[in-house]
């Protein structure tokens, strides 16, 4: 337990951390990866290159320092971070490595001796946070262990099929090399894929949302090729490895499906709002919603059974699928979703193209030109008691989140997934 004096000491470091937080964690990463180079296969070397990881950890440490007296306010982000840690197969002993390097970094960057009471207080505080994470992660590992078809650690998967979905996005259908079963994951969850990156000569892990609901047959991910954004910059390590070097019959390593972004209530109206490759978890949710009540072992669907029992069967809950893309060239899974909308009259699709191509037809390929602006959509798209799911680039999600709040949608009905470190807003 921390004493009041130690709590005060920790809190007094908040302004210093605010000023030096990123420099500190940057130093910390260099120190830790220098001392423990094997961890380079755990951490995202792309984030190291761009500095995103340094900011994320700094943010978490700072938030913890600020909330040291009531760390329960961190509970929602702890869940998010722990799911990510679990998907990276992070184990308790690694917390000692991080802790030791963090304390030495604080001491070295702030020029405070290791024996100083401030370092001791931080050691205790880090220990508390680490215990909270380790316990939460143990629970998630246990769930995986107890879920039929799930697994712990890395499992080899064969790329059974590679399907081009757009100019930028390709789907990978993955089947376990061991021929074993697959888990019934929740639509919206992700896996971590680990591949050898030729440019680096080491393996790299990245998260990918599963882009189809659980079928028991395969896991599908749909990956956007991240080209270099400015001249002289490298393309994304893992996405380009998957697109360029890995082909059908090749093997990738996967951790078990996890994550706390998933359909909460399939019985309600669900509004799925995405941009670009952010459609992947939405397509999984959509497919789950459309198959949810169908038992493959029985001929009649749940709704057919209900209809058979009552002459006035309730309506199937509506699904609104709202998507933003630049144009048809990068509009992934367009035909599949349009086909579903034709088959299911409870599915409503709305598409915004920012820069339609000449051949793109309004009313056929897309419904509005320009950036998606929810404030301009008819109110029929925004039922009060629906659940709203958001996924796309950070500015897109922030804009849609604000637009939903402005339309009176309660915060607790809005769920979002960020693709990348930095989704933790503290
Ligand atoms: C929960 C979750 C789900 C996700 N689901 C999906 C999904 O379904 N589909 C999908 O495609 N992605 C998804 N992602 C994103 C995915 O994990 C990867 O982040 C993405 O594929 C990029 O990884 P990469 O290795 O290709 O790029 P990285 O090597 O990580 O590089 C990232 C970017 O940095 C750029 N870069 C290169 N050099 C520099 C430099 N010096 N400075 C700054 N930037 C530089 C690269 O060009 C690239 O665009 C998801 C992420 C999360 C967290
Ligand atoms: C109490 C200690 C820790 C804190 C406060 C912490 C905090 C965080 C945060 C905030 C993120 C970003 C989450 C997101 O935005 O999605 C993250 C991701 C990550 N953490 Fe931790 N973490 C801790 C311990 C560890 C340990 C022990 C390891 C392994 C040695 C580790 C490895 C990672 C990795 C690999 C990622 C993903 C990085 C990326 O994709 O860039 N963390 N952590």
């Amino acid at each position: 337990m921390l004493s009041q004096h130690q709590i005060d000491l920790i809190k007094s470091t908040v302004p210093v951390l605010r000023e030096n937080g990123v420099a500190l964690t940057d130093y910390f990463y260099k120190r830790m990866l220098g001392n423990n180079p094997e961890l380079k296969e755990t951490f995202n070397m792309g984030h190291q290159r761009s500095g995103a990881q340094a900011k994320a950890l700094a943010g978490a440490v700072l938030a913890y320092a600020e909330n040291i007296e009531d760390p329960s306010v961190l509970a929602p982000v702890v869940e998010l971070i722990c799911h990510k840690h679990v998907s990276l197969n992070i184990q308790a002993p690694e917390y000692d490595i991080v802790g030791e390097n963090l304390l030495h970094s604080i001491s070295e960057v702030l020029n405070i001796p290791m024996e100083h009471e401030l370092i001791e207080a931080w050691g205790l505080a880090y220990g508390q946070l680490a215990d909270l994470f380790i316990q939460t992660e143990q629970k998630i590992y246990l769930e995986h262990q107890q879920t039929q078809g799930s697994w712990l650690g890395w499992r080899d998967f064969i790329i059974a099929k590679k399907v081009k979905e757009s100019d930028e996005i390709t789907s990978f259908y993955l089947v376990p090399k061991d021929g074993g079963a697959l888990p019934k994951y929740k639509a919206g969850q992700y896996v971590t894929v680990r591949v050898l990156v030729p440019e680096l000569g080491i393996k790299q892990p990245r998260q990918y949302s599963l882009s189809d609901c659980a079928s028991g047959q395969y896991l599908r991910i749909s990956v956007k090729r991240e080209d270099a954004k400015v001249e002289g910059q490298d393309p994304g390590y893992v996405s380009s490895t998957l697109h360029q070097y890995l082909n059908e019959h090749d093997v990738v390593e996967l951790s078990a499906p996890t994550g706390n972004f998933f359909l909460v209530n399939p019985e309600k109206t669900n509004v799925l709002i995405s941009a670009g490759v952010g459609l992947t978890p939405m397509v999984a949710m959509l497919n789950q919603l459309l198959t949810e009540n169908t038992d493959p072992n029985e001929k009649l669907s749940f709704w057919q059974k209900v209809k058979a029992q009552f002459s006035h069967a309730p309506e199937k809950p509506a699904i609104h699928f709202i998507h933003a893309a630049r144009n048809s060239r990068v509009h992934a899974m367009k035909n599949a979703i349009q086909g579903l909308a034709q088959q299911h009259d409870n599915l409503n699709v709305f598409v915004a193209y920012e820069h339609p191509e000449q051949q793109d037809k309004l009313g056929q390929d897309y419904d509005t030109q320009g950036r998606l602006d929810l404030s301009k959509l008819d109110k029929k798209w925004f039922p009060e008691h629906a659940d709203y799911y958001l996924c796309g680039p950070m500015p897109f999600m922030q804009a849609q989140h604000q637009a939903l709040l402005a339309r009176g949608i309660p915060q607790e009905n809005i769920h979002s997934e960020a693709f990348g470190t930095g989704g933790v807003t503290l």
Side-chain angles (χ1 to χ4, degrees), residues 49 206-209 222 224 229 234 236-239 280:
R49 190 175 46 188
R206 294 292 182 274
Q207 288 72 46
Y208 292 101
S209 299
S222 305
K224 180 182 167 205
K229 298 213 172 35
D234 301 326
Y237 289 132
V238 172
S239 64
T280 52

Side-chain angles (χ1 to χ4, degrees), residues 28-29 32 39 41-48 52-61 64 77 80-82 84-85 88 90-99 102 125-131 133 137 190 205-207 418 420-426:
F28 150 74
Y29 273 108
M32 182 175 69
L39 285 179
E41 296 205 334
T42 301
F43 284 93
N44 180 332
M45 290 299 119
H47 285 161
Q48 301 304 310
Q53 173 62 35
K55 284 179 210 137
L57 186 67
V61 171
Y64 186 64
V77 283
L80 186 151
I81 298 167
C82 290
K84 197 171 263 189
H85 283 165
L88 288 155
I90 285 159
Q91 303 293 334
E94 286 162 342
Y95 279 86
D96 293 339
I97 300 177
V98 166
L102 190 62
Y126 173 82
Q128 276 187 14
L129 186 59
D131 283 349
F133 279 23
E137 285 158 24
Y190 59 83
R206 294 292 182 274
Q207 288 72 46
T421 308
V424 176
T425 39
L426 299 160

Side-chain angles (χ1 to χ4, degrees), residues 139-262:
K139 280 190 207 140
I140 306 172
Y141 283 122
L142 193 66
E143 274 170 33
H144 287 188
Q145 205 173 5
Q146 292 173 344
T147 302
Q148 210 197 345
S150 192
W151 66 98
L152 298 176
W154 301 103
R155 185 175 178 190
D156 282 348
F157 276 70
I158 297 169
I159 303 174
K161 203 163 53 151
K162 204 172 160 180
V163 177
K164 189 173 169 177
E165 306 282 7
S166 78
D167 275 10
E168 291 176 338
I169 298 175
T170 292
S171 286
F172 297 79
Y173 290 73
L174 306 167
V175 295
K177 195 175 166 203
D178 58 27
L182 288 171
K184 270 195 174 174
Y185 56 88
K186 297 172 186 160
Q189 291 191 305
Y190 59 83
V191 289
T192 292
V193 176
R194 200 166 69 157
V195 297
L196 179 75
V197 175
E199 288 89 339
L200 294 172
I202 56 167
K203 290 178 185 174
Q204 277 288 279
R206 294 292 182 274
Q207 288 72 46
Y208 292 101
S209 299
L210 291 161
S211 63
D212 200 354
C213 61
S215 65
Q217 304 298 308
Y218 56 80
L219 299 179
R220 185 178 74 174
I221 57 166
S222 305
V223 180
K224 180 182 167 205
R225 197 189 58 243
E226 294 288 347
D227 297 326
K229 298 213 172 35
V230 288
E231 223 189 287
Q233 219 176 53
D234 301 326
Y237 289 132
V238 172
S239 64
S240 56
T241 301
L242 283 163
H243 275 257
Q244 273 181 37
Y245 302 120
L246 292 173
N247 294 306
E248 289 174 5
H249 311 301
D250 285 338
V251 172
V252 296
E253 291 172 310
L254 251 65
S255 64
T258 199
N260 60 349
F261 178 73
F262 50 80

Side-chain angles (χ1 to χ4, degrees), residues 305-424:
K305 281 186 215 149
V306 172
K307 265 190 189 153
Q309 280 180 22
F310 305 99
S311 49
H312 300 293
E315 292 280 298
K316 284 188 206 177
I319 310 162
H320 298 335
F321 190 94
I322 302 175
H323 182 61
R326 293 201 304 285
N327 53 52
S328 60
R329 294 166 70 90
V330 290
H331 183 180
M333 302 177 190
K334 176 172 155 253
N335 294 341
I337 290 162
Q338 282 184 349
L340 289 172
Q342 277 164 11
Q343 286 166 39
H344 301 271
D345 46 14
N346 59 329
L347 170 60
N348 308 299
V349 177
F350 185 91
V351 173
Y353 277 178
E354 194 174 352
H355 304 296
E357 296 269 290
Q358 225 170 11
Q359 72 275 13
D360 294 345
K361 291 198 178 62
L362 185 68
Q364 193 177 314
D365 296 303
Y366 66 105
D367 302 284
T368 188
Q369 180 170 351
R371 288 200 162 186
L372 180 67
D373 183 350
L374 296 184
S375 67
K376 293 199 179 130
L377 260 66
D378 189 274
K379 68 174 193 308
K380 72 171 186 200
W381 292 94
F382 307 98
E384 198 186 329
H385 300 295
D387 274 319
Y388 292 80
Y389 294 88
L390 294 177
C391 188
M394 200 54 99
F396 169 88
M397 288 205 294
Q398 281 160 351
Q400 312 319 324
H401 198 146
Q402 286 311 316
L404 290 175
L405 293 176
R407 280 195 165 263
I409 308 301
Q411 168 71 45
E412 63 269 24
N413 293 355
I414 307 173
H415 316 270
S416 48
E417 178 76 302
F419 280 4
T421 308
V424 176

